[in-house]
Amino acid sequence: MTEKNHHRSALKRSDGHRPESRKRLNNRKTGDDPQERPEVRGRNASRSSDVQRPKRGQVRSSDSRSRNRYSDGPTGKRGGNRRSDADYQRPVRSRRHRKSGISLISAYLMRILFLSVMLAVIIFAGKGIAGVFFRAEAETAAQTAASSEAAETPFEETAEENESREETTESSQNLIQSNGRTLDITKPMVALTFDDGPYPEVGNAIMDEMDKVGGRATFFLVGTRVPGYAEEVRRMATEGHEIANHSFDHDESLSKKGAAYVAEEFQKCNSVIEEVCGVRPTVLRLPGGIISNAVRQGVPMPMFHWSVDTQDWKTRNTQSTIDSVIGHVKDGDIVLMHELYPSTGEACRTIIPRLAEQGFQLVTISELYNLKAADVQLKLDRQYTDFRPETVAKLRAEQGTQPAAPTPETTAAKTGADTDSQAGNASAGADGSAEKTAGSEADASPKGPASESAAADASSTNAKKGPAIASYAYSGNTSIKLYGSS
């Protein structure tokens, strides 16, 4: 074998590293290595310089020998049996062994997780059971305390219940039903009145606003205008507004005419209104409010003036109309406006809700009279401007009457009408007021043909029937006859 081949075989056997023996390693540590001696080092140096045939198991150069000296390969005696490189390899775990270790760790983790979940379930279940138990115990304790408290103070609670019941009864005695809504007789009331209609553009706007607050108005209609606006007039009657008489053709010189002419003017207006909506008016207002002896002799019904004049016919200004009402009306006032002017309808969009916010109940003239001065006997020879408390007191003083709630018997005697609400007698407007006046006409107005015609008209009014039926609203033990549908 040539030197080249021998060298390759040596490299194949030792991977280029010459193993050192354990003895040489120990000598190196103790400093007794013969290789480190000068003579040996020189001999080795001379050997490296000569080109010699390498022995078996040696490498050719000293560099490879020095590398083998400090290599990590196996060691052994020089010239002895060499151990293979496999004897010096680190043991490596097999894949199966590693897999089994991972499985073991996973199993431990799963057990820990399972135990944690079970512990959480046990804790929550325990809390739930404890909560149910304590809640039931608390409810039992509360019921026991309540029963014991009730047993200790039965009379106090009974007294409180009695007081509450008395207050409820007292408040209910102040409430009455009229025209499809509830009124409180202890709260202030105002009557908004509108002359010269009907006129749907304004009248419907007024009724829309009244409906929002549960109010009712009084419309003094002119007879010649009624057939042309029959639909609006029917709506007035259906929704409980009072339809009143403002003469047949609004003749402002009516006060200069004779009593017969005056009576005919109002009777014709009554007839045309009744033909259109089935309601016969029982109150009236003179055109311009002008009164005379002929008018006093010819009118068949009580006359109503006003206490608050908006002068909307003159200004025809929305804000001016609002300012004349808001802040100026009082309990029992009668407000004059006109249905002909759009500015008035626009003003009512503010006036009506504002009055309701201030606590006023918007009622008809007949309702105002029946609820404020039912014991006052109205006369045909005068115009009534309002029913304020001071005004009612004066009227009672004139009559020599005391303020007292009328009984059903006295109410029937004054009105001269059937007290049975099921009879369905039509009495549009203030039924009681018209009939009372008819009964006292002989004393209140001069005798003559005009008075006889007025009495005949009043008696015919009592006999008429229509959709507006008098309803009886009860305030305690007092029966009050009101205008409107029951």
Side-chain angles (χ1 to χ4, degrees):
M1 182 181 294
T2 63
E3 182 180 358
K4 185 176 182 180
N5 292 336
H6 177 75
H7 180 65
R8 287 179 179 176
S9 64
L11 291 176
K12 288 180 181 179
R13 286 194 304 270
S14 62
D15 290 334
H17 301 283
R18 182 179 179 181
E20 295 182 357
S21 65
R22 185 172 298 176
K23 182 178 180 180
R24 182 174 295 178
L25 292 174
N26 292 333
N27 291 337
R28 185 185 298 277
K29 292 179 180 180
T30 57
D32 194 19
D33 189 2
Q35 294 292 334
E36 298 296 329
R37 297 174 184 174
E39 61 273 14
V40 176
R41 188 182 299 120
R43 186 174 56 248
N44 290 338
S46 62
R47 285 181 182 177
S48 62
S49 61
D50 298 336
V51 179
Q52 297 179 359
R53 183 175 180 177
K55 294 182 181 181
R56 190 171 187 174
Q58 296 180 347
V59 292
R60 187 170 56 178
S61 65
S62 60
D63 295 336
S64 63
R65 190 182 300 118
S66 67
R67 285 197 304 269
N68 290 337
R69 185 182 303 169
Y70 297 99
S71 65
D72 295 334
T75 59
K77 294 182 179 181
R78 182 180 297 178
N81 295 329
R82 297 177 183 274
R83 286 179 290 183
S84 64
D85 295 337
D87 295 335
Y88 295 95
Q89 293 179 355
R90 290 183 66 182
V92 180
R93 289 183 179 180
S94 64
R95 184 176 299 174
R96 180 179 299 176
H97 187 70
R98 289 199 306 271
K99 188 174 181 180
S100 63
I102 294 174
S103 300
L104 184 61
I105 294 172
S106 300
Y108 279 119
L109 291 177
M110 291 298 293
R111 290 179 183 178
I112 293 172
L113 181 61
F114 177 75
L115 292 176
S116 300
V117 172
M118 291 299 297
L119 182 61
V121 171
I122 291 172
I123 291 173
F124 281 112
K127 287 184 178 180
I129 294 173
V132 171
F133 175 75
F134 287 118
R135 191 180 301 111
E137 186 176 358
E139 291 178 357
T140 304
Q143 291 177 359
T144 304
S147 61
S148 62
E149 185 177 356
E152 291 176 359
T153 59
F155 298 101
E156 294 181 3
E157 288 191 1
T158 303
E160 292 177 358
E161 291 178 357
N162 289 337
E163 290 179 2
S164 176
R165 189 180 300 106
E166 289 176 0
E167 291 177 358
T168 304
T169 304
E170 184 178 356
S171 62
S172 63
Q173 289 178 352
N174 296 329
L175 301 179
I176 60 172
Q177 295 295 320
S178 178
N179 286 344
R181 89 275 199 211
T182 303
L183 297 176
D184 189 340
I185 60 176
T186 63
K187 292 183 178 181
M189 302 178 186
V190 174
L192 299 184
T193 65
F194 301 90
D195 288 5
D196 301 345
Y199 183 47
E201 181 179 345
V202 178
N204 287 328
I206 294 170
M207 287 187 282
D208 290 342
E209 294 299 324
M210 284 287 185
D211 185 61
K212 294 177 183 178
V213 299
R216 302 292 184 265
T218 300
F219 293 92
F220 288 94
L221 305 184
V222 177
T224 56
R225 297 179 60 86
V226 170
Y229 304 108
E231 191 65 28
E232 182 197 354
V233 176
R234 294 190 188 99
R235 180 186 176 184
M236 293 176 184
T238 301
E239 296 185 4
H241 300 284
E242 183 169 21
I243 301 175
N245 192 322
H246 199 42
S247 78
F248 183 73
D249 54 9
H250 199 270
D251 187 357
E252 293 187 0
S253 62
L254 191 66
S255 59
K256 300 178 181 179
K257 306 294 177 64
Y261 179 83
V262 172
E264 184 180 2
E265 273 285 303
F266 290 108
Q267 290 174 7
K268 286 169 62 177
C269 184
N270 275 355
S271 299
V272 70
I273 290 175
E274 186 176 14
E275 289 176 2
V276 169
C277 65
V279 174
R280 192 172 184 86
T282 56
V283 295
L284 64 83
R285 175 173 286 164
L286 299 174
I290 303 173
I291 193 171
S292 65
N293 289 330
V295 170
R296 291 188 180 94
Q297 296 175 8
V299 293
M301 299 172 288
M303 297 177 290
F304 286 91
H305 205 65
W306 54 83
S307 55
V308 177
D309 187 359
T310 61
Q311 294 189 352
D312 57 341
W313 62 272
K314 184 177 181 180
T315 63
R316 302 190 186 185
N317 180 272
T318 299
Q319 190 60 45
S320 176
T321 304
I322 295 172
D323 295 339
S324 64
V325 176
I326 302 301
H328 294 86
V329 296
K330 298 179 181 179
D331 181 25
D333 270 336
I334 298 175
V335 181
L336 170 63
M337 288 183 276
H338 295 78
E339 191 183 345
L340 292 180
Y341 309 111
S343 59
T344 300
E346 192 64 28
C348 286
R349 297 184 188 277
T350 301
I351 293 172
I352 292 173
R354 188 79 60 83
L355 291 177
E357 290 174 1
Q358 293 177 356
F360 287 100
Q361 299 174 100
L362 305 182
V363 298
T364 66
I365 284 182
S366 294
E367 287 176 328
L368 189 64
Y369 162 73
N370 281 286
L371 297 175
K372 296 292 184 180
D375 56 334
V376 175
Q377 185 175 0
L378 299 179
K379 299 180 179 180
L380 296 181
D381 61 346
R382 65 185 300 178
Q383 298 184 93
Y384 295 90
T385 59
D386 62 85
F387 291 105
R388 294 177 181 176
E390 58 271 21
T391 303
V392 174
K394 291 180 181 179
L395 294 174
R396 286 171 178 157
E398 291 175 4
Q399 278 188 190
T401 59
Q402 297 296 327
T407 62
E409 292 78 7
T410 57
T411 303
K414 288 181 181 180
T415 59
D418 186 7
T419 57
D420 186 2
S421 62
Q422 302 298 328
N425 293 333
S427 56
D431 295 337
S433 64
E435 292 160 3
K436 292 174 188 176
T437 307
S440 61
E441 185 179 356
D443 301 328
S445 60
K447 296 181 181 180
S451 299
E452 294 176 359
S453 62
D457 184 78
S459 66
S460 64
T461 301
N462 295 336
K464 295 292 182 180
K465 295 182 180 181
I469 301 174
S471 62
Y472 291 85
Y474 292 91
S475 175
N477 295 325
T478 303
S479 175
I480 302 176
K481 190 173 184 181
L482 300 173
Y483 165 81
S485 302
S486 58

